[in-house]
Amino acid sequence: DTEVTQTPKHLVMGMTNKKSLKCEQHMGHRAMYWYKQKAKKPPELMFVYSYEKLSINESVPSRFSPECPNSSLLNLHLHALQPEDSALYLCASSQGEQVITDTQYFGPGTRLTVL
Amino acid sequence: AQKITQTQPGMFVQEKEAVTLDCTYDTSDPSYGLFWYKQPSSGEMIFLIYQGSYDQQNATEGRYSLNFQKARKSANLVISASQLGDSAMYFCAMREAEGGSYIPTFGRGTSLIVHP
Protein backbone atom coordinates (compact mmCIF):
# COMPACT_ATOMS: atom_id res chain seq x y z
CA ASP A 1 0.00 0.00 0.00
CA THR A 2 1.62 3.26 -1.14
CA GLU A 3 -1.19 5.58 -0.07
CA VAL A 4 -0.77 9.02 1.40
CA THR A 5 -4.03 10.76 2.25
CA GLN A 6 -4.64 14.49 2.55
CA THR A 7 -7.61 16.46 3.83
CA PRO A 8 -9.32 18.59 2.81
CA LYS A 9 -9.12 18.29 -0.99
CA HIS A 10 -10.13 21.91 -1.43
CA LEU A 11 -9.96 24.84 0.97
CA VAL A 12 -11.05 28.44 0.57
CA MET A 13 -10.06 30.81 3.34
CA GLY A 14 -9.92 34.49 4.09
CA MET A 15 -6.73 36.27 5.03
CA THR A 16 -7.73 36.41 8.70
CA ASN A 17 -8.75 32.76 9.03
CA LYS A 18 -6.87 29.96 10.76
CA LYS A 19 -7.06 26.54 9.14
CA SER A 20 -5.08 23.31 9.06
CA LEU A 21 -4.11 20.85 6.37
CA LYS A 22 -3.75 17.20 7.34
CA CYS A 23 -1.67 14.39 5.91
CA GLU A 24 -1.55 10.73 6.92
CA GLN A 25 0.43 7.68 5.84
CA HIS A 26 0.44 4.10 7.10
CA MET A 27 3.48 2.81 5.25
CA GLY A 28 5.78 3.01 8.26
CA HIS A 29 7.67 5.85 6.64
CA ARG A 30 9.80 8.01 8.92
CA ALA A 31 10.20 11.08 6.69
CA MET A 32 7.36 13.38 5.76
CA TYR A 33 7.40 16.47 3.54
CA TRP A 34 5.29 19.51 2.72
CA TYR A 35 5.53 21.01 -0.77
CA LYS A 36 3.86 24.04 -2.33
CA GLN A 37 3.10 23.90 -6.05
CA LYS A 38 1.90 26.67 -8.32
CA ALA A 39 0.21 25.82 -11.63
CA LYS A 40 2.54 24.43 -14.32
CA LYS A 41 5.54 24.62 -11.96
CA PRO A 42 7.52 21.97 -10.10
CA PRO A 43 6.78 21.43 -6.40
CA GLU A 44 8.76 23.62 -4.00
CA LEU A 45 9.93 22.07 -0.76
CA MET A 46 8.66 23.77 2.40
CA PHE A 47 9.39 21.46 5.34
CA VAL A 48 10.86 18.03 6.07
CA TYR A 49 10.24 15.95 9.19
CA SER A 50 12.59 13.09 9.84
CA TYR A 51 11.74 10.70 12.67
CA GLU A 52 9.17 13.25 13.90
CA LYS A 53 11.71 16.06 14.17
CA LEU A 54 11.74 19.08 11.88
CA SER A 55 14.92 18.65 9.88
CA ILE A 56 14.48 21.16 7.05
CA ASN A 57 12.62 24.47 6.92
CA GLU A 58 13.16 26.13 3.55
CA SER A 59 12.81 29.70 4.87
CA VAL A 60 9.04 29.46 4.87
CA PRO A 61 7.10 32.45 6.31
CA SER A 62 5.89 31.97 9.87
CA ARG A 63 2.26 32.10 8.76
CA PHE A 64 2.86 28.43 7.84
CA SER A 65 3.44 26.26 10.88
CA PRO A 66 4.11 22.53 10.52
CA GLU A 67 3.43 19.91 13.15
CA CYS A 68 4.19 16.19 13.29
CA PRO A 69 2.11 14.69 16.16
CA ASN A 70 3.35 11.16 15.42
CA SER A 71 5.15 9.22 12.72
CA SER A 72 1.97 8.77 10.65
CA LEU A 73 0.56 12.28 10.78
CA LEU A 74 1.67 15.64 9.46
CA ASN A 75 -0.24 18.90 9.80
CA LEU A 76 0.26 22.32 8.28
CA HIS A 77 -1.33 25.13 10.28
CA LEU A 78 -2.22 28.23 8.29
CA HIS A 79 -2.77 31.70 9.71
CA ALA A 80 -3.02 35.16 8.15
CA LEU A 81 -2.24 33.92 4.67
CA GLN A 82 -1.88 36.12 1.61
CA PRO A 83 -3.57 35.64 -1.79
CA GLU A 84 -0.19 34.65 -3.26
CA ASP A 85 -0.23 31.62 -0.94
CA SER A 86 -2.99 30.13 -3.09
CA ALA A 87 -1.54 26.92 -4.51
CA LEU A 88 -1.65 23.12 -4.42
CA TYR A 89 -0.13 21.84 -1.18
CA LEU A 90 1.33 18.38 -1.49
CA CYS A 91 2.34 16.05 1.29
CA ALA A 92 4.82 13.25 0.67
CA SER A 93 6.44 10.51 2.70
CA SER A 94 9.46 8.26 2.29
CA GLN A 95 11.24 5.62 4.30
CA GLY A 96 13.51 8.30 5.65
CA GLU A 97 16.77 6.50 5.05
CA GLN A 98 19.63 8.69 3.89
CA VAL A 99 20.07 6.79 0.65
CA ILE A 100 19.60 7.77 -2.97
CA THR A 101 16.94 5.11 -3.48
CA ASP A 102 14.58 6.63 -0.89
CA THR A 103 11.41 7.18 -2.96
CA GLN A 104 8.85 9.82 -2.09
CA TYR A 105 5.17 8.94 -2.32
CA PHE A 106 2.78 11.85 -2.63
CA GLY A 107 -0.76 12.49 -1.50
CA PRO A 108 -3.49 13.92 -3.76
CA GLY A 109 -2.89 17.44 -2.50
CA THR A 110 -5.03 20.23 -1.06
CA ARG A 111 -6.00 23.03 -3.42
CA LEU A 112 -5.89 26.18 -1.32
CA THR A 113 -7.47 29.48 -2.33
CA VAL A 114 -6.87 32.56 -0.19
CA LEU A 115 -9.34 35.39 -0.73
CA ALA B 1 23.01 26.00 -13.11
CA GLN B 2 19.92 23.83 -13.29
CA LYS B 3 20.47 20.43 -11.75
CA ILE B 4 17.61 18.91 -13.73
CA THR B 5 16.68 20.17 -17.18
CA GLN B 6 13.54 19.22 -19.05
CA THR B 7 13.69 21.05 -22.35
CA GLN B 8 10.24 20.11 -23.68
CA PRO B 9 7.53 22.26 -22.10
CA GLY B 10 4.87 20.44 -24.11
CA MET B 11 4.67 17.24 -26.13
CA PHE B 12 1.90 15.76 -28.28
CA VAL B 13 1.57 12.09 -29.24
CA GLN B 14 -0.99 9.97 -31.02
CA GLU B 15 -2.68 7.26 -29.02
CA LYS B 16 -0.85 3.88 -29.23
CA GLU B 17 2.42 5.51 -30.32
CA ALA B 18 5.58 5.69 -28.23
CA VAL B 19 6.88 8.98 -26.84
CA THR B 20 10.17 10.03 -25.25
CA LEU B 21 10.34 12.75 -22.60
CA ASP B 22 13.79 14.25 -22.17
CA CYS B 23 15.66 14.82 -18.92
CA THR B 24 19.28 15.84 -18.46
CA TYR B 25 20.96 16.30 -15.13
CA ASP B 26 24.02 17.91 -13.65
CA THR B 27 25.93 16.44 -10.72
CA SER B 28 29.51 15.74 -9.73
CA ASP B 29 28.39 13.11 -7.24
CA PRO B 30 29.08 9.52 -8.40
CA SER B 31 26.11 8.28 -6.36
CA TYR B 32 22.65 9.57 -7.31
CA GLY B 33 19.14 8.41 -8.07
CA LEU B 34 16.82 9.54 -10.83
CA PHE B 35 13.02 9.47 -10.55
CA TRP B 36 10.11 10.17 -12.85
CA TYR B 37 6.71 11.28 -11.59
CA LYS B 38 3.40 11.75 -13.41
CA GLN B 39 0.98 14.46 -12.32
CA PRO B 40 -2.50 14.35 -13.86
CA SER B 41 -4.75 17.40 -13.67
CA SER B 42 -6.18 16.00 -10.42
CA GLY B 43 -2.90 16.98 -8.75
CA GLU B 44 -1.45 13.81 -7.27
CA MET B 45 2.22 13.15 -8.07
CA ILE B 46 2.48 9.48 -9.02
CA PHE B 47 5.86 7.74 -8.82
CA LEU B 48 6.62 5.95 -12.09
CA ILE B 49 10.18 4.70 -12.24
CA TYR B 50 13.61 4.88 -10.59
CA GLN B 51 17.16 4.53 -11.94
CA GLY B 52 20.27 4.45 -9.77
CA SER B 53 23.60 5.78 -10.99
CA TYR B 54 25.23 2.39 -10.45
CA ASP B 55 22.50 0.37 -12.15
CA GLN B 56 23.84 -1.43 -15.21
CA GLN B 57 20.47 -2.00 -16.84
CA ASN B 58 17.87 0.56 -17.86
CA ALA B 59 14.88 0.53 -15.51
CA THR B 60 11.52 -0.67 -16.81
CA GLU B 61 8.06 -0.65 -15.23
CA GLY B 62 5.29 -1.89 -17.49
CA ARG B 63 4.91 0.60 -20.37
CA TYR B 64 7.52 2.92 -18.84
CA SER B 65 11.23 2.57 -19.44
CA LEU B 66 14.11 4.85 -18.63
CA ASN B 67 16.76 5.40 -21.29
CA PHE B 68 19.76 6.05 -19.05
CA GLN B 69 22.88 7.40 -20.76
CA LYS B 70 25.31 8.11 -17.96
CA ALA B 71 28.07 9.68 -20.06
CA ARG B 72 25.57 12.12 -21.55
CA LYS B 73 23.92 12.66 -18.14
CA SER B 74 20.51 11.95 -19.58
CA ALA B 75 17.61 9.93 -18.19
CA ASN B 76 14.83 10.03 -20.73
CA LEU B 77 11.43 8.48 -20.01
CA VAL B 78 9.98 6.33 -22.77
CA ILE B 79 6.26 5.60 -22.71
CA SER B 80 5.27 2.83 -25.10
CA ALA B 81 1.78 2.44 -26.59
CA SER B 82 0.47 5.79 -25.27
CA GLN B 83 -3.01 5.88 -23.78
CA LEU B 84 -5.38 8.82 -23.32
CA GLY B 85 -4.85 8.50 -19.57
CA ASP B 86 -1.16 9.26 -20.03
CA SER B 87 -2.04 12.93 -20.62
CA ALA B 88 -0.41 14.69 -17.67
CA MET B 89 2.62 16.67 -16.47
CA TYR B 90 5.76 14.59 -16.11
CA PHE B 91 8.54 15.57 -13.72
CA CYS B 92 12.09 14.25 -13.63
CA ALA B 93 13.84 14.42 -10.24
CA MET B 94 17.29 13.60 -8.86
CA ARG B 95 18.39 12.65 -5.38
CA GLU B 96 22.11 13.08 -4.61
CA ALA B 97 24.23 11.79 -1.77
CA GLU B 98 26.43 14.88 -1.83
CA GLY B 99 25.80 17.33 0.96
CA GLY B 100 23.97 14.75 3.01
CA SER B 101 20.49 16.22 2.66
CA TYR B 102 19.23 13.70 0.09
CA ILE B 103 16.40 16.07 -0.85
CA PRO B 104 15.24 15.53 -4.44
CA THR B 105 15.55 18.29 -7.02
CA PHE B 106 12.74 18.49 -9.58
CA GLY B 107 12.85 19.63 -13.20
CA ARG B 108 10.33 22.10 -14.59
CA GLY B 109 8.22 19.34 -16.10
CA THR B 110 6.86 18.38 -19.51
CA SER B 111 3.17 18.51 -20.35
CA LEU B 112 2.15 15.48 -22.42
CA ILE B 113 -1.08 15.41 -24.40
CA VAL B 114 -2.20 12.16 -25.99
CA HIS B 115 -4.53 12.57 -28.99
CA PRO B 116 -7.09 9.89 -29.93
Side-chain angles (χ1 to χ4, degrees), chain A residues 33-48 56-61 63-64 76 84-92 104 106, chain B residues 39 45 91 103-108:
Chain A
Y33 311 75
W34 279 116
Y35 285 88
K36 173 184 177 181
Q37 187 181 27
K38 292 283 202 177
K40 304 290 187 187
K41 300 286 188 188
E44 300 171 30
L45 184 67
M46 300 175 73
F47 303 104
V48 181
I56 294 179
N57 175 342
E58 291 286 349
S59 304
V60 178
R63 57 185 184 268
F64 295 91
L76 186 63
E84 60 265 27
D85 297 322
S86 298
L88 178 69
Y89 288 82
L90 290 163
C91 173
Q104 291 178 309
F106 286 80
Chain B
Q39 188 176 38
M45 295 270 284
F91 290 97
I103 297 299
T105 304
F106 286 84
R108 293 180 185 271

Coordinates of all heavy atoms in Angstrom, one line a residue, chain A residues 33-48 56-61 63-64 76 84-92 104 106, chain B residues 39 45 91 103-108:
Chain A
Y33 N 7.0 15.2 4.2 CA 7.4 16.5 3.5 C 6.1 17.3 3.2 O 5.1 16.7 2.9 CB 8.1 16.2 2.2 CG 9.2 15.1 2.2 CD1 8.9 13.8 2.3 CD2 10.5 15.5 2.1 CE1 9.9 12.8 2.3 CE2 11.5 14.6 2.1 CZ 11.2 13.2 2.2 OH 12.2 12.3 2.2
W34 N 6.3 18.6 3.3 CA 5.3 19.5 2.7 C 5.9 20.2 1.5 O 7.0 20.8 1.6 CB 4.8 20.6 3.7 CG 3.8 20.1 4.7 CD1 3.9 20.0 6.0 CD2 2.4 19.7 4.4 NE1 2.7 19.5 6.6 CE2 1.8 19.3 5.6 CE3 1.7 19.6 3.2 CZ2 0.5 18.9 5.7 CZ3 0.4 19.1 3.3 CH2 -0.2 18.8 4.5
Y35 N 5.1 20.3 0.4 CA 5.5 21.0 -0.8 C 4.4 22.0 -1.1 O 3.2 21.7 -0.9 CB 5.7 20.1 -2.0 CG 7.0 19.3 -2.0 CD1 7.0 18.0 -1.4 CD2 8.1 19.7 -2.7 CE1 8.2 17.2 -1.4 CE2 9.3 18.9 -2.7 CZ 9.3 17.7 -2.1 OH 10.4 16.9 -2.2
K36 N 4.8 23.1 -1.7 CA 3.9 24.0 -2.3 C 4.1 24.0 -3.8 O 5.2 24.0 -4.3 CB 4.1 25.5 -1.8 CG 3.3 26.6 -2.5 CD 3.8 27.9 -1.9 CE 3.0 29.1 -2.6 NZ 3.5 30.4 -2.1
Q37 N 3.0 24.0 -4.6 CA 3.1 23.9 -6.0 C 2.1 24.9 -6.7 O 0.9 24.8 -6.5 CB 2.8 22.5 -6.6 CG 3.1 22.3 -8.0 CD 2.9 21.0 -8.6 OE1 2.0 20.2 -8.0 NE2 3.6 20.6 -9.6
K38 N 2.7 25.8 -7.5 CA 1.9 26.7 -8.3 C 1.6 26.0 -9.7 O 2.4 25.1 -10.1 CB 2.7 28.0 -8.6 CG 2.8 28.8 -7.3 CD 1.5 29.6 -7.0 CE 1.7 30.8 -6.1 NZ 0.5 31.5 -5.8
A39 N 0.6 26.5 -10.4 CA 0.2 25.8 -11.6 C 1.4 25.8 -12.6 O 2.1 26.8 -12.8 CB -1.0 26.6 -12.2
K40 N 1.5 24.6 -13.3 CA 2.5 24.4 -14.3 C 4.0 24.6 -13.8 O 4.9 24.8 -14.6 CB 2.3 25.4 -15.5 CG 0.9 25.3 -16.1 CD 0.7 24.1 -16.8 CE -0.6 24.1 -17.6 NZ -1.0 22.8 -18.1
K41 N 4.2 24.5 -12.5 CA 5.5 24.6 -12.0 C 5.9 23.4 -11.2 O 5.0 22.6 -10.8 CB 5.6 25.8 -11.0 CG 5.3 27.2 -11.6 CD 6.4 27.6 -12.5 CE 6.2 29.0 -13.0 NZ 7.2 29.5 -14.0
P42 N 7.2 23.1 -10.9 CA 7.5 22.0 -10.1 C 7.2 22.2 -8.6 O 7.0 23.4 -8.2 CB 9.0 21.8 -10.3 CG 9.5 23.2 -10.7 CD 8.4 23.8 -11.5
P43 N 7.0 21.2 -7.8 CA 6.8 21.4 -6.4 C 8.0 22.1 -5.7 O 9.1 21.8 -6.1 CB 6.5 20.0 -5.9 CG 7.1 19.1 -6.9 CD 7.1 19.8 -8.2
E44 N 7.7 23.0 -4.8 CA 8.8 23.6 -4.0 C 8.7 23.1 -2.6 O 7.7 23.1 -1.9 CB 8.5 25.1 -3.9 CG 8.5 25.9 -5.2 CD 8.0 27.3 -5.0 OE1 8.2 27.9 -4.0 OE2 7.4 27.8 -6.0
L45 N 9.9 22.6 -2.1 CA 9.9 22.1 -0.8 C 9.7 23.2 0.3 O 10.3 24.2 0.2 CB 11.3 21.4 -0.6 CG 11.5 20.7 0.8 CD1 10.6 19.5 0.9 CD2 12.9 20.3 1.0
M46 N 8.9 22.8 1.3 CA 8.7 23.8 2.4 C 9.3 23.2 3.7 O 10.1 23.9 4.3 CB 7.2 24.0 2.6 CG 6.4 24.5 1.5 SD 4.6 24.5 1.8 CE 4.5 25.9 3.0
F47 N 8.9 22.0 4.1 CA 9.4 21.5 5.3 C 9.7 20.0 5.2 O 9.0 19.3 4.4 CB 8.3 21.6 6.4 CG 7.9 23.0 6.7 CD1 6.7 23.4 6.3 CD2 8.7 23.9 7.5 CE1 6.2 24.7 6.5 CE2 8.3 25.2 7.7 CZ 7.0 25.6 7.3
V48 N 10.6 19.5 6.0 CA 10.9 18.0 6.1 C 10.9 17.6 7.5 O 11.6 18.3 8.3 CB 12.2 17.6 5.4 CG1 12.4 16.1 5.5 CG2 12.3 18.1 4.0
I56 N 14.3 20.1 8.1 CA 14.5 21.2 7.1 C 13.3 22.1 7.1 O 12.1 21.7 7.0 CB 14.7 20.5 5.6 CG1 15.9 19.7 5.6 CG2 14.7 21.6 4.6 CD1 16.2 19.0 4.3
N57 N 13.6 23.4 7.1 CA 12.6 24.5 6.9 C 13.2 25.4 5.9 O 14.2 26.1 6.1 CB 12.4 25.2 8.2 CG 11.5 26.4 8.1 OD1 11.2 26.9 7.0 ND2 11.0 26.9 9.2
E58 N 12.6 25.4 4.7 CA 13.2 26.1 3.6 C 12.8 27.6 3.6 O 12.2 28.1 2.7 CB 12.7 25.5 2.2 CG 13.3 24.1 2.0 CD 14.8 24.2 1.6 OE1 15.3 25.3 1.3 OE2 15.5 23.2 1.5
S59 N 13.1 28.3 4.7 CA 12.8 29.7 4.9 C 11.4 30.1 4.6 O 11.1 31.0 3.8 CB 13.7 30.5 4.0 OG 15.1 30.2 4.2
V60 N 10.5 29.2 5.1 CA 9.0 29.5 4.9 C 8.5 30.5 5.9 O 8.9 30.5 7.0 CB 8.3 28.1 5.1 CG1 6.8 28.3 4.9 CG2 8.8 27.1 4.1
P61 N 7.6 31.4 5.4 CA 7.1 32.5 6.3 C 6.4 31.8 7.5 O 5.8 30.7 7.4 CB 6.1 33.2 5.4 CG 6.5 33.0 4.0 CD 7.2 31.6 4.0
R63 N 3.7 32.3 8.9 CA 2.3 32.1 8.8 C 1.9 30.6 8.4 O 0.8 30.2 8.5 CB 1.6 33.1 7.8 CG 2.2 33.0 6.4 CD 1.5 34.1 5.5 NE 2.0 34.1 4.1 CZ 3.0 34.7 3.6 NH1 3.7 35.5 4.4 NH2 3.3 34.7 2.4
F64 N 3.0 29.9 8.0 CA 2.9 28.4 7.8 C 3.6 27.8 9.0 O 4.8 28.0 9.2 CB 3.5 28.0 6.5 CG 2.9 28.5 5.3 CD1 3.3 29.7 4.7 CD2 1.8 27.8 4.7 CE1 2.7 30.2 3.6 CE2 1.2 28.3 3.5 CZ 1.7 29.5 3.0
L76 N -0.3 21.0 8.7 CA 0.3 22.3 8.3 C -0.8 23.3 8.7 O -1.9 23.4 8.2 CB 0.5 22.4 6.8 CG 1.2 23.7 6.3 CD1 2.6 23.8 6.9 CD2 1.3 23.7 4.8
E84 N -1.3 35.3 -2.5 CA -0.2 34.6 -3.3 C 0.2 33.3 -2.7 O 0.9 32.5 -3.3 CB 1.1 35.5 -3.3 CG 1.7 35.9 -2.0 CD 1.3 37.2 -1.5 OE1 0.1 37.7 -1.9 OE2 2.1 37.8 -0.8
D85 N -0.4 33.0 -1.5 CA -0.2 31.6 -0.9 C -1.2 30.6 -1.6 O -1.1 29.4 -1.3 CB -0.4 31.7 0.6 CG 0.6 32.5 1.3 OD1 1.8 32.5 0.9 OD2 0.2 33.2 2.2
S86 N -2.1 31.1 -2.4 CA -3.0 30.1 -3.1 C -2.2 29.2 -4.0 O -1.3 29.7 -4.8 CB -4.0 30.9 -4.0 OG -4.8 31.7 -3.2
A87 N -2.4 27.9 -3.8 CA -1.5 26.9 -4.5 C -2.1 25.5 -4.2 O -3.0 25.4 -3.4 CB -0.1 27.0 -4.1
L88 N -1.4 24.5 -4.8 CA -1.7 23.1 -4.4 C -0.6 22.8 -3.4 O 0.6 23.0 -3.6 CB -1.5 22.2 -5.7 CG -1.7 20.7 -5.4 CD1 -3.1 20.4 -5.1 CD2 -1.2 20.0 -6.7
Y89 N -1.1 22.3 -2.2 CA -0.1 21.8 -1.2 C -0.1 20.3 -1.2 O -1.1 19.6 -0.9 CB -0.5 22.4 0.2 CG -0.3 23.9 0.2 CD1 -1.2 24.8 -0.4 CD2 0.9 24.4 0.7 CE1 -0.9 26.2 -0.4 CE2 1.2 25.8 0.7 CZ 0.3 26.6 0.1 OH 0.6 28.0 0.1
L90 N 1.1 19.8 -1.4 CA 1.3 18.4 -1.5 C 2.1 17.9 -0.3 O 3.1 18.5 0.2 CB 2.1 18.0 -2.7 CG 1.4 18.2 -4.1 CD1 2.4 18.3 -5.2 CD2 0.4 17.1 -4.3
C91 N 1.6 16.8 0.2 CA 2.3 16.0 1.3 C 3.0 14.8 0.7 O 2.5 14.2 -0.3 CB 1.3 15.6 2.4 SG 2.0 14.6 3.7
A92 N 4.2 14.5 1.1 CA 4.8 13.2 0.7 C 5.4 12.5 1.9 O 5.7 13.1 2.9 CB 5.9 13.6 -0.4
Q104 N 10.0 9.1 -2.7 CA 8.9 9.8 -2.1 C 7.5 9.4 -2.7 O 7.4 9.2 -3.9 CB 9.0 11.3 -2.3 CG 10.2 12.0 -1.6 CD 10.3 13.4 -1.9 OE1 10.3 13.8 -3.1 NE2 10.3 14.3 -0.9
F106 N 3.5 10.6 -2.8 CA 2.8 11.8 -2.6 C 1.3 11.6 -2.4 O 0.7 10.6 -2.9 CB 2.9 12.8 -3.9 CG 4.2 13.4 -4.0 CD1 5.3 12.8 -4.5 CD2 4.4 14.8 -3.6 CE1 6.6 13.4 -4.6 CE2 5.6 15.4 -3.7 CZ 6.7 14.7 -4.2
Chain B
Q39 N 2.0 13.7 -13.0 CA 1.0 14.5 -12.3 C -0.2 14.8 -13.2 O -0.2 15.7 -14.0 CB 1.6 15.8 -11.8 CG 0.6 16.5 -10.8 CD 1.3 17.7 -10.2 OE1 2.0 18.5 -10.8 NE2 1.0 18.0 -8.9
M45 N 1.0 13.5 -7.4 CA 2.2 13.2 -8.1 C 2.4 11.6 -7.9 O 2.5 11.1 -6.8 CB 3.4 13.8 -7.4 CG 3.4 15.3 -7.5 SD 4.3 15.9 -9.0 CE 6.0 15.7 -8.4
F91 N 7.4 14.9 -14.4 CA 8.5 15.6 -13.7 C 9.7 14.6 -13.5 O 9.4 13.4 -13.1 CB 8.2 16.1 -12.3 CG 7.2 17.3 -12.4 CD1 5.9 17.1 -12.2 CD2 7.7 18.6 -12.6 CE1 5.0 18.2 -12.3 CE2 6.9 19.7 -12.6 CZ 5.5 19.5 -12.5
I103 N 17.7 15.5 -0.4 CA 16.4 16.1 -0.9 C 16.4 16.1 -2.4 O 17.3 16.6 -3.0 CB 16.2 17.5 -0.3 CG1 16.1 17.4 1.2 CG2 14.9 18.1 -0.8 CD1 15.0 16.6 1.8
P104 N 15.3 15.6 -3.0 CA 15.2 15.5 -4.4 C 15.1 16.9 -5.0 O 14.5 17.8 -4.5 CB 14.0 14.7 -4.7 CG 13.6 14.0 -3.5 CD 14.2 14.9 -2.4
T105 N 15.7 17.1 -6.2 CA 15.6 18.3 -7.0 C 14.7 17.9 -8.2 O 14.9 16.9 -8.9 CB 16.9 18.8 -7.5 OG1 17.8 19.0 -6.4 CG2 16.8 20.1 -8.3
F106 N 13.7 18.8 -8.5 CA 12.7 18.5 -9.6 C 13.1 19.4 -10.8 O 13.5 20.5 -10.6 CB 11.3 18.8 -9.1 CG 10.7 17.7 -8.2 CD1 11.0 17.8 -6.9 CD2 10.0 16.7 -8.7 CE1 10.5 16.8 -6.0 CE2 9.4 15.7 -7.9 CZ 9.7 15.8 -6.5
G107 N 12.8 18.8 -12.0 CA 12.9 19.6 -13.2 C 11.6 20.4 -13.3 O 10.6 20.3 -12.5
R108 N 11.5 21.2 -14.4 CA 10.3 22.1 -14.6 C 9.1 21.4 -15.1 O 8.0 21.9 -15.1 CB 10.7 23.3 -15.5 CG 11.7 24.2 -15.0 CD 11.9 25.3 -16.0 NE 13.0 26.2 -15.5 CZ 12.8 27.3 -14.8 NH1 11.6 27.6 -14.4 NH2 13.8 28.1 -14.4

